[in-house]
Amino acid sequence: GLSGVGHGDPQRRGELRKLVLRAGELYQKAELPDRAEAVLALGGAWAAAAEVALRGGRKERAAELFLEARESLRAAALLAELGRTQEAERLLAEHHRDKGDDAEAARHFEAAGDLLAAGDLYRLMERCDLAGGCYERHGDSLQAAEMFRAASDWERAAACYERAGRFREAAAVL
């Protein structure tokens, strides 16, 4: 963006934003969408630039610009359309985590393949059964065993302790 331009003056920044949006609008009316997108992005009007890119069928670029605009839900939707589902799921996970919705965040981290992050969130929510499953699929048998033990799933706890080479603990939970 135009960092430093009108930096300390909110009124000046507001005026500059209006000029950037107006220039983008005029370039679009002149059927110069590439210039519109460029001036909008340079001026920090990333969401407006993303809309121009989207209208031009440039979904990849639109997703990048929506990320700059901190519109992660729109970026995630475009990434999913582009077949980049793991990235989309990660964005959704981070969005929900930032909003304090740990259950939804954990579900999306799991879908993104980040089993440790999902397991940690499930553990925080005291969903030891789900945490254990994530840790087990991640290959952390000892942590999985502890979670299954806390969930009173003795057979799975014993199997994980055994895989971790903790035979005494495996025998104790059975």
Side-chain angles (χ1 to χ4, degrees):
L2 298 174
S3 59
V5 177
H7 175 65
D9 184 356
Q11 184 178 349
R12 177 106 170 89
R13 275 198 317 267
E15 291 169 10
L16 182 62
R17 180 164 175 76
K18 285 180 191 172
L19 289 174
V20 165
L21 292 172
R22 183 71 177 133
E25 181 185 326
L26 291 171
Y27 277 129
Q28 288 178 77
K29 284 183 177 180
E31 297 183 15
L32 296 167
D34 291 347
R35 284 194 177 168
E37 180 188 321
V39 76
L40 290 166
L42 181 64
W46 295 295
E51 295 293 350
V52 173
L54 197 52
R55 280 194 295 281
R58 294 181 308 281
K59 290 182 180 180
E60 186 96 24
R61 177 68 177 145
E64 292 170 12
L65 290 164
F66 278 128
L67 278 176
E68 287 290 333
R70 296 191 177 14
E71 291 192 25
S72 57
L73 296 179
R74 297 215 42 208
L78 287 172
L79 290 172
E81 281 181 37
L82 292 166
R84 293 167 54 185
T85 52
Q86 269 193 311
E87 289 172 79
E89 290 291 345
R90 173 163 285 290
L91 280 177
L92 292 170
E94 291 168 357
H95 169 80
H96 288 292
R97 184 187 56 205
D98 293 347
K99 297 285 183 212
D101 186 351
D102 289 344
E104 197 64 16
R107 193 176 69 71
H108 286 291
F109 274 125
E110 198 170 357
D114 191 341
L115 299 173
L116 280 179
D120 290 348
L121 283 173
Y122 285 134
R123 184 176 58 206
L124 283 173
M125 295 183 296
E126 298 182 3
R127 289 300 314 268
C128 296
D129 55 332
L130 297 175
C134 286
Y135 294 141
E136 184 177 32
R137 289 194 314 282
H138 180 70
D140 189 341
S141 296
L142 187 56
Q143 203 163 5
E146 296 296 332
M147 290 297 101
F148 289 133
R149 182 181 204 162
S152 302
D153 187 339
W154 312 120
E155 285 184 31
R156 285 180 85 182
C160 287
Y161 277 129
E162 189 175 356
R163 271 195 299 283
R166 298 288 187 91
F167 304 110
R168 185 172 294 142
E169 288 96 330
V173 295
L174 292 176

